[in-house]
Amino acid sequence: MRLILLGAPGAGKGTQAEVICERLSIPAVSTGNILREAMKNETEMGRKAKAFIDSGALVPDDVIIRIIKERLAQDDCQNGFILDGVPRTVAQAEALEQMDIDIDKVVDIEVPDDTIVKRLSGRRVCASCGASYHTIYKPSAQPDTCDRCGGRLIVRKDDEPSTILERLRVYHEQTEPLVDFYRQRGKLVVVEGQEQVADTTRLLFEKLGV
């Protein structure tokens, strides 16, 4: 199954992608993870992307499409995949169609903006290994310390309050039109994001029929 996950930043796309990946035995292709790895390694593409991400803006389409095209050509994507974080604009969606990438279903995880702000402002990431935590939903055993490696937990720049509001504005303006784009193609599945991850997962699988 070839899937796209839509939803505002913090709607739970990454979390649900991990569950679907395990259930269907297909890889989750997260643009965010690929970009963060590129920035960490300070590649040319990583440096270019960093300036946009730090300001809360979208990375240009040509950079995103190049990343995705290379990733989907790998062997583990031949039996299906989950796209997480792309497309983010109608132009990107059209570019994927032009690449003859056939998508089975597009899942839109809908969560209110005030809930998004609450979720993202509580996120913490290990500065050493990249493990994710949340002050409310997934706290570490010791405050500000990673359970996995003992590294220091930090707030990512794109999870700071001012950046969260900018990311939501950009989402509503540039990404939300994709809902109608895929609805018109008969591929849209809407899932109301729940407080508990497992409840969202249950609704998601019911809508996908798996």
Side-chain angles (χ1 to χ4, degrees), residues 33-51 54 66:
N33 288 343
I34 295 173
L35 286 173
R36 280 190 286 275
E37 185 67 21
M39 289 189 293
K40 180 180 178 181
N41 295 332
E42 296 187 346
T43 64
E44 178 184 353
M45 184 177 63
R47 289 193 297 270
K48 183 184 297 185
K50 187 176 187 302
D54 283 351
R66 195 171 85 199

Side-chain angles (χ1 to χ4, degrees), residues 80-99:
F81 52 80
I82 307 160
L83 288 183
D84 171 18
V86 68
R88 286 190 174 180
T89 64
V90 170
Q92 289 180 6
E94 291 173 340
L96 289 175
E97 288 186 342
Q98 291 167 7
M99 289 164 56

Side-chain angles (χ1 to χ4, degrees), residues 4-8 11 13 83-88 106-110 171 175-180 182 188:
I4 289 174
L5 298 188
L6 292 180
K13 299 185 298 297
L83 288 183
D84 171 18
V86 68
R88 286 190 174 180
V106 177
V107 179
D108 176 32
I109 303 176
E110 297 193 346
Y171 170 77
T175 305
E176 208 165 36
L178 285 169
V179 173
D180 285 335
Y182 284 113
L188 187 72

Side-chain angles (χ1 to χ4, degrees), residues 30-180:
S30 169
T31 308
N33 288 343
I34 295 173
L35 286 173
R36 280 190 286 275
E37 185 67 21
M39 289 189 293
K40 180 180 178 181
N41 295 332
E42 296 187 346
T43 64
E44 178 184 353
M45 184 177 63
R47 289 193 297 270
K48 183 184 297 185
K50 187 176 187 302
F52 291 94
I53 291 176
D54 283 351
S55 66
L58 293 176
V59 178
D61 289 351
D62 61 330
V63 176
I64 295 296
I65 297 305
R66 195 171 85 199
I67 294 171
I68 295 303
K69 185 174 183 178
E70 292 174 353
R71 180 66 183 89
L72 297 186
Q74 296 179 17
D75 292 341
D76 64 337
C77 291
Q78 299 314 300
N79 293 322
F81 52 80
I82 307 160
L83 288 183
D84 171 18
V86 68
R88 286 190 174 180
T89 64
V90 170
Q92 289 180 6
E94 291 173 340
L96 289 175
E97 288 186 342
Q98 291 167 7
M99 289 164 56
D100 294 325
I101 296 175
D102 186 32
I103 301 299
D104 297 313
K105 295 290 183 182
V106 177
V107 179
D108 176 32
I109 303 176
E110 297 193 346
V111 178
D113 282 5
D114 56 349
T115 302
I116 293 292
V117 173
K118 178 182 175 183
R119 286 184 181 181
L120 293 186
S121 60
R123 288 205 306 198
R124 301 292 183 270
V125 178
C126 178
S128 299
C129 72
S132 297
Y133 298 88
H134 195 282
T135 55
I136 298 174
Y137 305 113
K138 188 184 176 183
S140 55
Q142 297 295 325
D144 301 321
T145 303
C146 178
D147 294 343
R148 183 187 300 174
C149 74
R152 182 171 59 92
L153 300 185
I154 61 172
V155 178
R156 282 189 354 210
K157 184 172 179 60
D158 52 357
D159 286 338
E160 294 176 355
S162 60
T163 308
I164 291 172
L165 294 176
E166 174 62 14
R167 293 173 70 196
L168 284 171
R169 185 194 67 77
V170 170
Y171 170 77
H172 290 307
E173 179 182 296
Q174 301 189 33
T175 305
E176 208 165 36
L178 285 169
V179 173
D180 285 335

